[in-house]
Amino acid sequence: MLKVAVIGASGYTGVELLRILINHPEVEICCVTSRQHEGQTINQVFPSLHGLCDLICEPLDVAAISSRVDLVFTALPHKSAMEVIPGFLDAGCRVVDLSADYRLKDQQVYESWYQTHSSPALLNEAVYGLPELYREVIPPARLVANPGCYPTSVILGVAPLLKQGLIQRSSIIVDSKSGTSGAGRSAKQGSLYCEVNEGFKAYAIGNHRHTPEIEQELSSLAGEKIIINFTPHLLPVNRGILSTAYADLVEDISSDDLIALYSEFYADEPFVRIMPGREYPNIAFVKGTNFCDIGLVSDPRTRRVIVVSAIDNLVKGAAGQAVQNMNLMCGFDERRGLTIVPTFP
Amino acid sequence: MLKVAVIGASGYTGVELLRILINHPEVEICCVTSRQHEGQTINQVFPSLHGLCDLICEPLDVAAISSRVDLVFTALPHKSAMEVIPGFLDAGCRVVDLSADYRLKDQQVYESWYQTHSSPALLNEAVYGLPELYREVIPPARLVANPGCYPTSVILGVAPLLKQGLIQRSSIIVDSKSGTSGAGRSAKQGSLYCEVNEGFKAYAIGNHRHTPEIEQELSSLAGEKIIINFTPHLLPVNRGILSTAYADLVEDISSDDLIALYSEFYADEPFVRIMPGREYPNIAFVKGTNFCDIGLVSDPRTRRVIVVSAIDNLVKGAAGQAVQNMNLMCGFDERRGLTIVPTFP
Amino acid sequence: MLKVAVIGASGYTGVELLRILINHPEVEICCVTSRQHEGQTINQVFPSLHGLCDLICEPLDVAAISSRVDLVFTALPHKSAMEVIPGFLDAGCRVVDLSADYRLKDQQVYESWYQTHSSPALLNEAVYGLPELYREVIPPARLVANPGCYPTSVILGVAPLLKQGLIQRSSIIVDSKSGTSGAGRSAKQGSLYCEVNEGFKAYAIGNHRHTPEIEQELSSLAGEKIIINFTPHLLPVNRGILSTAYADLVEDISSDDLIALYSEFYADEPFVRIMPGREYPNIAFVKGTNFCDIGLVSDPRTRRVIVVSAIDNLVKGAAGQAVQNMNLMCGFDERRGLTIVPTFP
Amino acid sequence: MLKVAVIGASGYTGVELLRILINHPEVEICCVTSRQHEGQTINQVFPSLHGLCDLICEPLDVAAISSRVDLVFTALPHKSAMEVIPGFLDAGCRVVDLSADYRLKDQQVYESWYQTHSSPALLNEAVYGLPELYREVIPPARLVANPGCYPTSVILGVAPLLKQGLIQRSSIIVDSKSGTSGAGRSAKQGSLYCEVNEGFKAYAIGNHRHTPEIEQELSSLAGEKIIINFTPHLLPVNRGILSTAYADLVEDISSDDLIALYSEFYADEPFVRIMPGREYPNIAFVKGTNFCDIGLVSDPRTRRVIVVSAIDNLVKGAAGQAVQNMNLMCGFDERRGLTIVPTFP
């Protein structure tokens, strides 16, 4: 049994890791930490876990924890993550980091969107944990940077277009919509029920921190620098991201051909589902699962392609993908613990 | 592998059975039926099932189906269920019926709340499938009548009080609130998003059809005829029932003692969780699972007990309990396929 | 024009007062205060008010404000309210207080449920501002204690039963459900979107602070001490309270007769609507309005009456009733500013 | 008093017209029609209207109705509308049509997106009722074609850009999101609560019928043929449309300059509100009102402009704009009956 710790277990990403790991046949959860809830059992923090997990929330003591576990999931805010990850690595633990701290390869880019990086040497070592693109390099990694939720939906959605050179590279516009769990469990006025319910808005237009992460990966796929428009919106639902991407096609191609091309591109992927023609993804159909559903339209009137991709932001956009990475790192079947059927309705 | 059919697979109860059975290690789903969607694959009906189940919806041909399966789940409306169940039994299939047709023991009561019963002889044979009360008699049953959603939440909530003789038997008042999936997937104006969302109402006050079912079981527990007030309400959520029951205590007893008594009563039950003092159930904490969470207060000001019980109406209130019954009928571990961790948030 | 101030304008009750007062033909809003948002315009705090109100949030300076206005609405938390109200009264302002500080007549009761009262002498002078019961004494009042949201729904719901002596006085059980705006606009984890959405729970069973307020008024109606069970629940909607009350009838009376009796009792009330037989209130049908809708059933099986009452907790349960009280105090038509048609859906 | 009829009063647009007209000081509602609810009072159809409107739903008899009213609102589906409107006009009634039947000037375009037009001669006479663009020609009109909900949000959002020649005309991409009331009140599975709630999806990509309407008006503003990408999405809220539009700027211009330009363009418009810099519209802030809120960003990284516009689809997107048109047609103050403050939360 692989011994793991969930660092920062009292957030929505933390409890989602527990939801998946509790039923993972190869894993033993040995430690959960929470500064805010230290000394409480995790099922006091999340009564949903009564009878399922009664670990006590520990303080974040790297030395103590690293001696007891093989692999650590860090579900901390950026900045907090990089304060402890080098310690876990030095102590011989492998790490799947769900923060943004090791996703960007370029220290300068990181520092211009976030803050000074305290362990820039690790930026190169860290592997960007999107298995559909980096499956070969994840298994030996010590440190996997689990992708952001928006980036996961966007990169999987447009990767085949860029890889195949089907679109004008300066023409990508991404309009994304995320459920409210993406804003975390800390008490902020903007996340209150009455502020979100029956509302819908765009935010951080032109300056959301997931922009450079998306651009890094799209640039890598395209082999040249890609700059995009990325507009996130806040959806009044608990879970789910739906991204609608637009790009100019370089030549005519039908919706059917695009669908065939995507189906081929993702043929061996257990967690990517390409919708049949005229069917489009709905976040309701991936709820609770590690799936990324993708629908495609080629619009002959404007010669643009529209790609719609849907994920559960807490699963494929966070905890599920983290477990997928753990499975790859540890030689387990990639789908272990993740064969969850969507809960609909 | 047990071969099963889901009769009436295109409703919410049907798809929930599939969600659970797809991951059940002892079961092979051999057949799904839907009159409305005959000839379509079930993943066209529920795109959530893409890549997970591609059975074609068949017509309801009892002879053809019964030759291929061992056990049948009937997820049909009442009346439709009793039209086919005798046929399945005669053909040697065992049946878990999720309709109301075999829940009431008294034909006259059934006929006064529903309509003429076409196979009254089976009313006595059918076992009321609430494992917490009838675990001993379920295993050999040919026909299990899976309890209604409201009754499950209410009976589990007040059973210990009646069994221990702690309350005035004429004093029980039950105020229940159900999520909208309980109204089914057929297109009715009253179930439209805009009619339900941001609304809340009582309905069927004093005449809801689950009343005689609850009273039958409470009477059986009490050893005398019990009549209750039962008021259902419609909640703007997809899933969940929360029932708040009130009764006059026959003598003083503290909340702590009640909690201890319930914990003892349900000590060996894998799916009943008793909340600690001053913690109350929330439907959010049982979502997607077979749990029934129960919270208790003894109010010394009025010498009444208040019991709050929460279930997922589609799981412990329907498909999950049906699978629990199947497990018992077939000698599988009762928890097989049902060790689901709640999805929160 | 009556000059008014809204003290504590940055909460949900505050903005609701502004929504109503902006369109009130006899009122000029001269002042809004907010400690947290001092110096900001109120439409920065609530962008819904862009172009409608651009007052700047002032600090709470009693002397400065009282010199500029005739009447003050205090939309502050309890305790904060009583710290400033005596000052406003001394300076010659009339006050409609939306807090709990002057609702209870008995200082001891107040102090056992809240804290020490700093101006107990005003408890007797303050008028309980439920116009349907106290219309005669509101006009001359200097200080009106605006009723709580739950109490408004409950008292209006059962008043005719008690007044007419139709029920056993120890038998009243009230099961109430409130929208989330009742929890206010301060950032608390329990009020986060993801904590409330798709959830439903009871809270404060047996010890909610609105209990003594309800009991005070029911006792006054009955002419003897009434003790009730009161169980509040949290609904995943922005607005609305629905209370379901149960009581033992002292003699048989039909639903129709009850409806006739209620219709008579409230015949002259502009804001109480009695539902026809077999129709029940829905919070969706009073949204944004000052209405209290009441539905009634007499259950012959148990000889109990079930009363369902619905209000918008921010309107009849707070700001609307406060304006109704202001209208009475100032000799305006009671309906002025309150002839709002429900927003459905 | 202007005598009006609401034809098709039992839909969401119909009840919204009633909500506004009941409080309109210059209007008497003389007639409501509903085929489905003929003979019922409108408050049986919409219990929200108890005590506010007790008109009986009449059959749609053009001769009988036109003899009693001056102006008719037709809130019928397309095709049904054009079957009766010529009759009303011939009988001397003025008409505000909320269907799509007279919005498109080009019969061929209409017939390629809808069906054969039975009164094409009226296409030219009908005035497109977007007051911000056509205020001069609305007053004398006999027939006003009330704009679609999506088109209203989109046209108001991008009009200044096109009018000022600031964008590449082939570069417009519109990503719109609409609340569920836009799907109407008829019982369809896709509009059920459980199908919509906690879901989000795109639909009708590349072929939504509002596309030619938007293009007609944008072409008129630009003085040349405009073709756009338009992708509608379904939001799990009752009300509201938020459209996010993207276009390539022809030259650099800052966000502040764009905001200044829009503020100037709409300076005299009572129902358009331009957000300050870095503030973006939220459908929650226009709920129940006739406002269109617009926010703007110029993204220097891509030299694109992003325009976000928000309306209440049932008000500025339907009934409110219809009343605004009626006000203009009848010489009333344009804001009469529409000075509604948003209901937040």
Side-chain angles (χ1 to χ4, degrees):
Chain A
M1 295 288 273
L2 183 78
K3 292 173 194 295
V4 307
V6 175
I7 307 300
S10 62
Y12 292 139
T13 304
V15 71
E16 190 68 358
L17 278 164
L18 296 178
R19 178 175 79 93
I20 296 169
L21 294 171
I22 283 169
N23 276 335
H24 195 295
E26 316 278 3
V27 166
E28 182 191 354
I29 309 169
C30 297
C31 165
V32 297
T33 79
S34 166
R35 200 176 44 183
Q36 195 188 344
H37 297 280
E38 190 185 326
Q40 290 183 274
T41 59
I42 193 67
N43 61 39
Q44 289 178 287
V45 181
F46 293 109
S48 58
L49 298 180
H50 272 306
L52 299 168
C53 183
D54 57 2
L55 289 171
I56 291 170
C57 294
E58 305 181 20
L60 206 178
D61 179 334
V62 173
I65 295 166
S66 56
S67 69
R68 292 153 47 204
V69 305
D70 306 310
L71 185 146
V72 161
F73 294 97
T74 43
L76 298 170
H78 64 87
K79 192 155 186 274
S80 301
M82 65 184 171
E83 286 166 6
V84 298
I85 286 172
F88 280 116
L89 294 173
D90 289 348
C93 289
R94 301 176 81 184
V95 175
V96 179
D97 176 31
L98 290 90
S99 87
D101 280 346
Y102 299 95
R103 294 176 190 154
L104 297 175
K105 293 294 167 205
D106 184 327
Q107 180 183 356
Q108 241 184 314
V109 173
Y110 179 88
E111 296 188 341
S112 69
W113 289 82
Y114 293 90
Q115 68 278 302
T116 303
H117 203 294
S118 57
S119 53
L122 286 171
L123 289 179
N124 253 329
E125 181 187 342
V127 172
Y128 190 73
L130 193 64
E132 289 77 8
L133 299 185
Y134 296 100
R135 184 170 290 109
E136 305 312 315
V137 290
I138 293 168
R142 279 203 311 165
L143 170 57
V144 168
N146 209 57
C149 49
Y150 283 123
T152 296
S153 73
V154 176
I155 298 163
L156 292 176
V158 304
L161 296 174
L162 282 170
K163 199 82 177 183
Q164 307 289 330
L166 295 169
I167 54 173
Q168 304 282 3
R169 283 156 183 189
S170 64
S171 72
I172 302 172
I173 289 172
V174 180
D175 192 282
S176 288
K177 304 87 178 174
S178 171
T180 304
S181 58
R185 207 191 188 199
S186 62
K188 286 172 288 190
Q189 191 181 70
S191 300
L192 291 178
Y193 182 82
C194 291
E195 304 287 314
V196 173
N197 183 44
E198 294 297 286
F200 184 69
K201 64 171 184 182
Y203 66 98
I205 305 180
N207 58 19
H208 191 280
R209 282 167 163 170
H210 282 173
T211 310
E213 181 182 342
I214 298 170
E215 289 179 348
Q216 166 182 292
E217 295 305 315
L218 299 193
S219 298
S220 164
L221 283 159
E224 63 177 81
K225 177 117 194 81
I226 300 272
I227 292 180
I228 64 165
N229 274 103
F230 172 62
T231 308
H233 300 71
L234 185 66
L235 271 177
V237 300
N238 284 351
R239 289 164 175 257
I241 284 180
L242 191 127
S243 291
T244 312
Y246 302 85
D248 296 348
L249 289 163
V250 293
E251 58 184 77
D252 290 340
I253 176 166
S254 70
S255 295
D256 286 349
D257 287 348
L258 281 173
I259 290 167
L261 185 148
Y262 269 65
S263 300
E264 171 75 16
F265 190 92
Y266 288 122
D268 298 329
E269 291 302 333
F271 296 118
V272 178
R273 304 191 295 190
I274 308 303
M275 300 289 105
R278 303 236 152 269
E279 259 191 58
Y280 307 120
N282 186 328
I283 55 169
F285 296 143
V286 296
K287 199 164 40 182
T289 75
N290 205 44
F291 289 120
C292 177
D293 283 0
I294 299 176
L296 291 148
V297 173
S298 171
D299 186 345
R301 301 172 74 252
T302 58
R303 215 170 79 171
R304 289 200 187 98
V305 57
I306 300 101
V307 188
V308 184
S309 54
I311 61 170
D312 183 322
N313 59 303
L314 292 179
V315 192
K316 185 63 176 168
Q321 187 143 268
V323 172
Q324 190 180 358
N325 280 314
M326 178 201 74
N327 285 339
L328 287 167
M329 292 164 79
C330 300
F332 308 142
D333 183 316
E334 191 172 338
R335 292 163 299 186
R336 271 299 209 186
L338 295 169
T339 55
I340 304 166
V341 182
T343 306
F344 176 83
Chain B
M1 295 288 272
L2 184 79
K3 292 171 194 294
V4 308
V6 175
I7 308 300
S10 61
Y12 292 139
T13 304
V15 71
E16 189 69 357
L17 278 163
L18 297 178
R19 178 176 79 94
I20 296 169
L21 294 171
I22 283 170
N23 276 334
H24 196 294
E26 315 278 3
V27 166
E28 182 190 354
I29 309 170
C30 296
C31 165
V32 296
T33 80
S34 165
R35 200 175 46 183
Q36 195 188 344
H37 297 280
E38 190 184 326
Q40 289 183 274
T41 59
I42 192 67
N43 61 39
Q44 289 177 287
V45 181
F46 293 109
S48 58
L49 298 180
H50 271 305
L52 300 168
C53 183
D54 59 1
L55 289 171
I56 291 170
C57 294
E58 305 181 22
L60 207 178
D61 179 333
V62 173
I65 294 166
S66 57
S67 70
R68 290 152 49 205
V69 305
D70 307 308
L71 185 146
V72 161
F73 294 97
T74 43
L76 298 169
H78 64 85
K79 191 154 186 275
S80 301
M82 66 183 172
E83 286 166 6
V84 299
I85 285 171
F88 279 116
L89 293 172
D90 289 348
C93 289
R94 302 175 81 184
V95 176
V96 178
D97 177 30
L98 290 89
S99 87
D101 280 347
Y102 299 95
R103 294 177 190 156
L104 297 174
K105 293 295 165 203
D106 184 327
Q107 179 183 355
Q108 242 184 314
V109 174
Y110 178 89
E111 296 188 342
S112 70
W113 290 82
Y114 294 90
Q115 67 278 303
T116 304
H117 203 293
S118 58
S119 53
L122 286 171
L123 289 179
N124 252 327
E125 181 186 343
V127 172
Y128 190 73
L130 193 63
E132 289 76 8
L133 299 184
Y134 296 100
R135 184 171 289 109
E136 303 312 314
V137 290
I138 294 168
R142 280 202 312 165
L143 170 57
V144 168
N146 209 56
C149 49
Y150 284 124
T152 296
S153 71
V154 176
I155 299 164
L156 292 177
V158 304
L161 296 174
L162 282 170
K163 199 80 176 186
Q164 307 289 332
L166 296 170
I167 55 174
Q168 304 282 4
R169 285 159 180 185
S170 65
S171 72
I172 302 173
I173 290 173
V174 180
D175 192 282
S176 289
K177 304 88 179 174
S178 172
T180 304
S181 59
R185 205 190 190 200
S186 63
K188 287 172 289 192
Q189 190 180 71
S191 301
L192 290 179
Y193 183 82
C194 290
E195 304 287 316
V196 173
N197 184 43
E198 295 297 288
F200 185 69
K201 64 171 183 181
Y203 67 98
I205 304 180
N207 58 20
H208 191 280
R209 282 166 163 171
H210 282 173
T211 310
E213 182 182 341
I214 298 169
E215 290 178 348
Q216 167 182 290
E217 295 304 317
L218 298 193
S219 299
S220 164
L221 283 160
E224 63 178 79
K225 177 117 193 81
I226 299 273
I227 293 181
I228 64 164
N229 274 102
F230 172 62
T231 308
H233 300 72
L234 185 65
L235 271 178
V237 300
N238 284 352
R239 289 163 175 256
I241 284 180
L242 190 127
S243 291
T244 312
Y246 301 84
D248 296 348
L249 288 163
V250 294
E251 56 184 78
D252 290 338
I253 176 167
S254 70
S255 296
D256 285 349
D257 286 348
L258 281 172
I259 290 168
L261 186 148
Y262 270 64
S263 298
E264 170 76 16
F265 190 93
Y266 288 123
D268 297 328
E269 291 302 334
F271 296 118
V272 179
R273 304 191 296 189
I274 308 303
M275 298 290 105
R278 302 238 154 268
E279 259 190 59
Y280 308 121
N282 186 328
I283 55 169
F285 296 143
V286 297
K287 199 163 43 181
T289 76
N290 206 44
F291 289 120
C292 176
D293 283 0
I294 299 177
L296 292 148
V297 173
S298 171
D299 186 344
R301 300 172 75 251
T302 57
R303 214 169 80 169
R304 287 199 189 99
V305 56
I306 300 102
V307 187
V308 184
S309 55
I311 61 170
D312 183 322
N313 60 304
L314 292 178
V315 192
K316 185 62 179 169
Q321 188 144 266
V323 172
Q324 189 181 358
N325 280 313
M326 178 200 76
N327 285 340
L328 287 167
M329 293 163 79
C330 300
F332 307 142
D333 182 315
E334 192 171 339
R335 292 163 300 186
R336 270 302 209 184
L338 296 169
T339 55
I340 304 166
V341 182
T343 305
F344 177 83
Chain C
M1 296 288 271
L2 183 79
K3 291 172 194 297
V4 307
V6 175
I7 308 301
S10 62
Y12 292 140
T13 304
V15 70
E16 190 69 359
L17 278 164
L18 297 179
R19 180 176 77 94
I20 296 169
L21 294 171
I22 283 169
N23 276 335
H24 195 295
E26 315 278 2
V27 166
E28 182 189 354
I29 309 169
C30 296
C31 166
V32 296
T33 79
S34 165
R35 200 176 44 181
Q36 195 187 345
H37 297 280
E38 191 185 324
Q40 290 183 274
T41 59
I42 192 68
N43 60 39
Q44 289 178 287
V45 181
F46 293 109
S48 57
L49 299 180
H50 271 305
L52 299 168
C53 183
D54 59 2
L55 288 171
I56 291 169
C57 294
E58 305 180 22
L60 207 180
D61 178 335
V62 173
I65 294 167
S66 57
S67 69
R68 289 151 50 202
V69 305
D70 306 310
L71 185 146
V72 161
F73 293 97
T74 43
L76 298 170
H78 65 85
K79 190 153 187 276
S80 301
M82 66 183 171
E83 286 167 5
V84 298
I85 286 171
F88 279 116
L89 293 173
D90 289 347
C93 289
R94 301 175 81 185
V95 175
V96 178
D97 176 30
L98 290 89
S99 88
D101 281 346
Y102 299 96
R103 293 176 191 155
L104 297 175
K105 292 295 167 205
D106 185 326
Q107 180 183 354
Q108 242 183 314
V109 173
Y110 179 88
E111 296 188 342
S112 69
W113 290 81
Y114 294 90
Q115 67 279 302
T116 304
H117 203 295
S118 58
S119 53
L122 286 172
L123 290 179
N124 252 329
E125 180 185 343
V127 172
Y128 191 73
L130 193 63
E132 289 76 7
L133 299 184
Y134 296 99
R135 184 171 289 107
E136 305 310 316
V137 291
I138 293 167
R142 280 201 310 164
L143 171 57
V144 168
N146 210 57
C149 49
Y150 283 124
T152 295
S153 72
V154 177
I155 299 164
L156 292 176
V158 303
L161 295 174
L162 282 171
K163 199 81 177 184
Q164 307 288 331
L166 296 170
I167 55 174
Q168 303 282 3
R169 284 159 182 187
S170 64
S171 72
I172 302 172
I173 290 173
V174 180
D175 192 281
S176 289
K177 303 89 179 174
S178 171
T180 305
S181 59
R185 207 191 189 201
S186 62
K188 286 172 290 190
Q189 190 181 70
S191 301
L192 290 179
Y193 182 82
C194 290
E195 304 288 314
V196 173
N197 184 44
E198 295 297 286
F200 183 69
K201 64 171 184 181
Y203 66 99
I205 305 180
N207 57 21
H208 191 281
R209 282 168 162 170
H210 282 174
T211 310
E213 181 182 341
I214 298 170
E215 290 179 348
Q216 166 182 291
E217 295 304 315
L218 298 193
S219 298
S220 163
L221 283 159
E224 62 178 82
K225 178 114 194 82
I226 300 272
I227 292 180
I228 64 165
N229 273 104
F230 171 62
T231 308
H233 300 72
L234 185 66
L235 271 178
V237 302
N238 284 351
R239 290 163 174 257
I241 284 180
L242 190 126
S243 291
T244 312
Y246 302 84
D248 296 348
L249 288 163
V250 294
E251 56 184 76
D252 289 339
I253 176 167
S254 71
S255 296
D256 286 350
D257 287 348
L258 281 173
I259 291 168
L261 185 148
Y262 269 64
S263 299
E264 170 75 16
F265 189 93
Y266 288 123
D268 297 328
E269 291 302 333
F271 296 118
V272 179
R273 305 190 296 190
I274 308 304
M275 300 290 104
R278 303 234 152 272
E279 258 190 60
Y280 307 121
N282 186 328
I283 56 169
F285 295 144
V286 297
K287 199 164 39 182
T289 76
N290 206 44
F291 288 119
C292 177
D293 283 0
I294 300 175
L296 292 147
V297 173
S298 170
D299 186 345
R301 300 171 75 252
T302 57
R303 215 169 79 170
R304 289 202 187 95
V305 56
I306 300 102
V307 188
V308 184
S309 54
I311 61 170
D312 183 323
N313 60 303
L314 292 179
V315 191
K316 185 62 176 168
Q321 187 144 266
V323 171
Q324 189 180 359
N325 281 314
M326 178 201 75
N327 285 340
L328 287 167
M329 292 163 80
C330 300
F332 308 141
D333 183 316
E334 192 171 338
R335 293 163 300 187
R336 272 299 209 186
L338 295 170
T339 55
I340 304 166
V341 182
T343 305
F344 177 83
Chain D
M1 296 287 272
L2 184 80
K3 291 172 194 296
V4 308
V6 175
I7 308 300
S10 61
Y12 292 138
T13 305
V15 71
E16 189 68 359
L17 278 164
L18 297 177
R19 179 175 78 94
I20 296 169
L21 293 170
I22 283 169
N23 276 334
H24 195 294
E26 316 278 3
V27 166
E28 182 189 355
I29 309 169
C30 297
C31 164
V32 296
T33 80
S34 165
R35 200 175 45 182
Q36 195 188 344
H37 297 280
E38 190 185 325
Q40 290 183 273
T41 58
I42 192 69
N43 60 39
Q44 291 178 286
V45 181
F46 293 108
S48 57
L49 298 180
H50 272 305
L52 300 168
C53 183
D54 58 2
L55 289 171
I56 291 169
C57 294
E58 305 181 21
L60 206 179
D61 179 334
V62 173
I65 294 166
S66 57
S67 70
R68 290 153 48 205
V69 305
D70 307 309
L71 185 145
V72 161
F73 293 96
T74 43
L76 299 169
H78 65 87
K79 192 154 186 275
S80 301
M82 66 184 171
E83 285 167 6
V84 298
I85 286 172
F88 280 116
L89 293 173
D90 290 348
C93 289
R94 301 175 82 184
V95 175
V96 178
D97 177 30
L98 288 89
S99 88
D101 280 347
Y102 299 96
R103 293 177 191 156
L104 297 174
K105 293 295 165 204
D106 185 327
Q107 179 182 356
Q108 243 184 313
V109 173
Y110 179 89
E111 297 188 341
S112 69
W113 289 82
Y114 294 90
Q115 67 279 302
T116 304
H117 203 294
S118 59
S119 54
L122 286 171
L123 289 179
N124 254 327
E125 181 186 341
V127 172
Y128 190 74
L130 193 63
E132 289 76 8
L133 298 184
Y134 296 101
R135 184 170 289 110
E136 304 311 314
V137 291
I138 293 167
R142 280 203 310 166
L143 171 56
V144 168
N146 209 58
C149 49
Y150 283 124
T152 296
S153 72
V154 176
I155 299 164
L156 292 177
V158 303
L161 294 173
L162 282 170
K163 199 79 177 185
Q164 308 290 332
L166 295 170
I167 55 174
Q168 303 283 3
R169 283 158 182 186
S170 65
S171 72
I172 303 173
I173 290 172
V174 180
D175 192 282
S176 289
K177 303 89 179 173
S178 172
T180 305
S181 59
R185 205 190 190 200
S186 63
K188 286 172 290 192
Q189 191 181 69
S191 301
L192 291 179
Y193 182 81
C194 290
E195 304 289 314
V196 173
N197 183 43
E198 294 297 286
F200 184 69
K201 64 171 183 182
Y203 66 99
I205 305 180
N207 58 21
H208 191 280
R209 281 167 162 169
H210 282 174
T211 310
E213 181 182 341
I214 298 170
E215 290 179 347
Q216 167 182 290
E217 295 304 316
L218 298 193
S219 299
S220 164
L221 283 159
E224 63 177 81
K225 178 118 193 80
I226 299 274
I227 293 180
I228 64 164
N229 274 103
F230 171 63
T231 308
H233 300 72
L234 184 66
L235 271 178
V237 300
N238 283 352
R239 290 162 174 256
I241 285 179
L242 189 125
S243 291
T244 311
Y246 301 85
D248 295 349
L249 288 164
V250 293
E251 57 185 76
D252 289 338
I253 176 167
S254 70
S255 295
D256 285 350
D257 286 348
L258 280 172
I259 290 168
L261 185 149
Y262 269 65
S263 299
E264 170 75 15
F265 190 93
Y266 287 124
D268 298 329
E269 291 302 334
F271 296 118
V272 179
R273 304 192 295 190
I274 308 303
M275 299 290 105
R278 303 236 153 269
E279 260 190 57
Y280 308 120
N282 186 328
I283 56 170
F285 296 143
V286 297
K287 199 164 43 182
T289 76
N290 206 44
F291 289 119
C292 177
D293 283 0
I294 300 176
L296 293 147
V297 173
S298 171
D299 186 345
R301 301 171 75 250
T302 57
R303 215 169 79 170
R304 289 201 187 97
V305 56
I306 300 103
V307 187
V308 184
S309 55
I311 61 170
D312 183 322
N313 61 302
L314 292 178
V315 192
K316 185 62 179 169
Q321 187 144 266
V323 171
Q324 188 181 0
N325 280 314
M326 179 200 76
N327 285 339
L328 286 167
M329 292 164 79
C330 300
F332 308 142
D333 182 317
E334 192 171 339
R335 291 163 300 185
R336 271 301 208 184
L338 295 169
T339 54
I340 304 166
V341 182
T343 305
F344 177 83

